[in-house]
Amino acid sequence: MITLLKRREGMSKADFIAYYESRHRLIGEKVLAGYATRYRRRHLHPADGQDAPHDFDVVLEIEFADQAACDACFAAMADEATMREIVEDEERLFDRGRMRSYTVEDHESVLPA
């Protein structure tokens, strides 16, 4: 699963990354433990170095061993208290209206050395 996330209006990129990695990440680790095999955040920095407005600030990658583990994780996350904790923290960090999640079909090329 990949989710594209945009920081909330008025938050600097440095503050966004610091908050995500020191606080929000911990919620993710807690709710994904026992279900996901990987929880990776890829913070995006424009290749041209310009901090201009853009669509997303981070690519969140969550990998599961199989669909059953993914389904079980999202069922557990639907618990009212868990969902409240996630949403309340997301509102401090993200433009929730811009969140986009996708399941991923992987194709990989083996390149010559």
Side-chain angles (χ1 to χ4, degrees):
M1 173 162 285
I2 290 180
T3 301
L4 304 174
L5 301 160
K6 176 74 179 149
R7 68 185 180 227
R8 70 174 171 75
E9 187 71 30
M11 183 176 236
S12 73
K13 183 177 288 284
D15 287 346
F16 173 77
I17 293 171
Y19 187 95
Y20 201 145
E21 295 304 320
S22 68
R23 301 196 52 193
H24 192 74
R25 168 187 62 86
L26 302 176
I27 296 171
E29 290 173 356
K30 180 174 70 173
V31 300
L32 295 170
Y35 300 104
T37 58
R38 178 178 297 210
Y39 173 45
R40 176 181 285 170
R41 291 131 345 259
R42 294 178 182 257
H43 296 279
L44 303 175
H45 301 277
D48 64 5
Q50 301 298 313
D51 190 19
H54 48 279
D55 292 334
F56 300 103
D57 293 291
V58 65
V59 177
L60 168 63
E61 299 176 11
I62 303 171
E63 293 181 17
F64 298 93
D66 53 34
Q67 189 61 48
C70 179
D71 294 345
C73 180
F74 282 94
M77 285 172 45
D79 168 75
E80 186 177 330
T82 301
M83 190 52 66
R84 183 173 42 253
E85 178 183 16
I86 292 168
V87 170
E88 285 176 0
D89 203 59
E90 285 178 349
E91 289 174 345
R92 293 181 186 99
L93 189 60
F94 303 119
D95 178 344
R96 294 190 75 244
R98 308 251 339 249
M99 292 176 149
R100 299 292 179 264
S101 293
Y102 304 89
T103 57
V104 177
E105 180 180 328
D106 239 358
H107 298 266
E108 187 170 340
S109 297
V110 176
L111 302 175

